Amino acid sequence: MDVKTKIGTVVSVDEKHIITIPEGLFGFESYKKYAIFESDFQPFMWMQSIDEEALAFLIVDPFLICDDYELDVDDKALLKIGINSPKDVYVMSIVTIPANGSPVTANLQGPLVINKNTGECMQVILNNSRWTTKHDILKAIKNRGGAC
């Protein structure tokens, strides 16, 4: 599938990299379909809205940032997107790159939980106050090996 990006280019994305977020993202509930593709800056990826080309998010696997990252998500909530087993899941976090030069952060409190088999996704809010919406990525990587 050809997807027009926020910067005006067109990328070809395999159908298996198209996700559907039935309830939308918090603050972006109207936009349900996204394409995930590599960025020029590994390990980050793009999550580009198919519904609105001006809407795109940089995302990253939170386990690359924090070795001890953990999700405590209600199993009933995960059934909404067909998750029956942890092996059916992959998790991503939305990244923020502030224009003012402050630290690049990841939203570890509101990760994206994606069903590998169906492409259905949901954003969950973790109750553990240890995880924040503005987790400093560079600081976490620098301290790697220790707890986040």
Side-chain angles (χ1 to χ4, degrees):
M1 165 183 242
D2 286 342
V3 177
K4 193 163 185 187
T5 68
K6 182 177 181 175
I7 60 170
T9 59
V10 175
V11 294
S12 184
V13 178
D14 190 303
E15 289 289 334
K16 68 182 178 180
H17 294 124
I18 304 296
I19 63 169
T20 302
I21 308 174
E23 296 178 7
L25 297 172
F26 298 111
F28 300 92
E29 290 83 1
S30 300
Y31 307 102
K32 313 285 188 190
K33 291 187 80 76
Y34 293 84
I36 296 178
F37 54 92
E38 291 184 15
S39 78
D40 291 337
F41 306 100
Q42 296 298 318
F44 301 104
M45 300 184 78
W46 283 110
M47 186 173 83
Q48 172 68 55
S49 170
I50 293 174
D51 305 316
E52 172 56 59
E53 70 184 57
L55 182 63
F57 300 94
L58 202 56
I59 58 175
V60 69
D61 180 339
F63 297 100
L64 295 176
I65 298 168
C66 293
D67 293 332
D68 58 344
Y69 186 62
E70 53 189 33
L71 284 79
D72 184 19
V73 181
D74 181 51
D75 290 340
K76 286 183 183 177
L78 294 176
L79 286 175
K80 290 180 186 178
I81 59 167
I83 300 293
N84 296 308
S85 167
K87 68 179 181 186
D88 296 336
V89 172
Y90 70 96
V91 178
M92 299 300 278
S93 291
I94 295 175
V95 174
T96 300
I97 303 174
N100 66 4
S102 55
V104 175
T105 61
N107 181 351
L108 298 185
Q109 187 178 35
L112 306 173
V113 178
I114 305 166
N115 183 324
K116 290 182 199 179
N117 303 316
T118 66
E120 283 197 285
C121 174
M122 67 187 300
Q123 185 175 25
V124 298
I125 299 297
L126 303 178
N127 291 326
N128 188 337
S129 62
R130 177 176 176 201
W131 309 119
T132 69
T133 59
K134 300 286 183 190
H135 197 86
D136 186 329
I137 293 174
L138 294 178
K139 182 178 177 184
I141 290 171
K142 186 177 174 183
N143 294 334
R144 200 148 171 135
C148 267

